[in-house]
Structures are given as C-alpha cells and as structure tokens.
C-alpha cells in the first residue's frame, strides 16, 4: 500500500531553519505531483508548496515565498521542504501529499495520499 512518511519536524526559534523530508513507497513516485500542506490549531489545512513530476516546476503560497523551497529526489522517492527564516505563524502540523497526475494543484481534494504529519513549532 501507499505510504508517505514525514520527518524533520521539531521546535525551533524564530529565524531558524528546518528541513522536512517525506519518503514515499507503494506508488510510482516519479509520476506523482507532490505537495506540502499544513494545519495550525483551529484552522483548516492549507497548501504550502507543490512540485511537478520532474521537479522543474514548483508553486508555493504567498506567505512562504522567499523562505521555503520544495524539492524532490526521484531516485530516493523523497520530497523535501526547506524552511528558512521561520516565524511563529509557521507553527503547524505539516503534511506531505501525493497526486497521481501531471497537473499541479493547490487543492487538498486533488491529492489522493497523505502522510501522518510532522509537528513544526516556532517559538518567538
């Protein structure tokens, strides 16, 4: 079965950095658009960043532009989220998601598979 396993979350001070990883198995990774979403307490899950099959095209939400970078290594079936200049408002559970289509998407409903999430806490 499909498994997405996130790692790399933790507690960091404002201005710090974290690198999230998501290891995928049970699917043809190179034929899946991958995305990162996050959900803060009391809020809906929101799109953070997405990446095309080859990694040649990416999207990210305005609030993280210039600070977060999504990338992937198809040889390792892994997608990454490099997060720099972290702010307290970035505190959330971060989820990796896979979409078995070549079209990128910012909508949760377009993603078929989800990881269990990893907690990121940014202290002020």
């Amino acid at each position: 079965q499909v498994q997405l396993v996130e790692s790399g979350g933790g507690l960091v001070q404002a201005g710090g950095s974290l690198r999230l990883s998501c290891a995928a198995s049970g699917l043809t990774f190179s034929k899946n658009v991958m995305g990162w979403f996050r959900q803060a307490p009391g809020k809906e899950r929101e799109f953070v960043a997405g990446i095309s099959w080859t990694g040649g095209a990416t999207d990210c939400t305005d609030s993280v532009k210039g600070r977060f970078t999504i990338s992937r290594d198809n040889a390792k079936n892994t997608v990454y989220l490099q997060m720099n200049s972290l702010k307290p408002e970035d505190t959330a559970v971060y989820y990796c998601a896979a979409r078995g289509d070549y079209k990128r998407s910012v909508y949760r409903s377009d993603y078929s598979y989800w990881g269990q999430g990893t907690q990121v806490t940014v202290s002020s």
Side-chain angles (χ1 to χ4, degrees):
Q1 71 277 22
V2 175
Q3 282 195 311
L4 302 177
V5 180
E6 300 100 334
S7 60
L11 173 64
V12 63
Q13 289 189 330
S17 298
L18 284 174
R19 188 194 196 201
L20 305 183
S21 299
C22 172
S25 61
L27 75 171
T28 305
F29 183 75
S30 62
K31 299 298 186 186
N32 274 262
V33 163
M34 299 300 295
W36 286 97
F37 290 73
R38 66 186 180 186
Q39 188 166 16
K43 295 188 176 181
E44 291 197 354
R45 194 171 300 189
E46 65 171 354
F47 174 80
V48 176
I51 189 164
S52 64
W53 286 5
T54 63
T58 61
D59 308 284
C60 64
T61 192
D62 286 346
S63 62
V64 308
K65 280 182 180 176
R67 300 188 298 122
F68 291 12
T69 303
I70 187 171
S71 63
R72 66 190 295 162
D73 185 339
N74 285 349
K76 295 182 178 180
N77 285 5
T78 302
V79 62
Y80 305 97
L81 185 67
Q82 178 67 45
M83 306 186 295
N84 299 327
S85 302
L86 282 159
K87 304 175 180 180
E89 51 264 44
D90 294 319
T91 294
V93 177
Y94 283 70
Y95 297 90
C96 168
R99 166 172 164 79
D101 194 282
Y102 72 94
K103 292 182 181 178
R104 303 191 310 279
S105 173
V106 303
Y107 301 107
R108 289 180 300 172
S109 58
D110 286 339
Y111 289 79
S112 302
Y113 303 106
W114 293 83
Q116 82 289 349
T118 185
Q119 177 71 47
V120 171
T121 304
V122 184
S123 64
S124 57

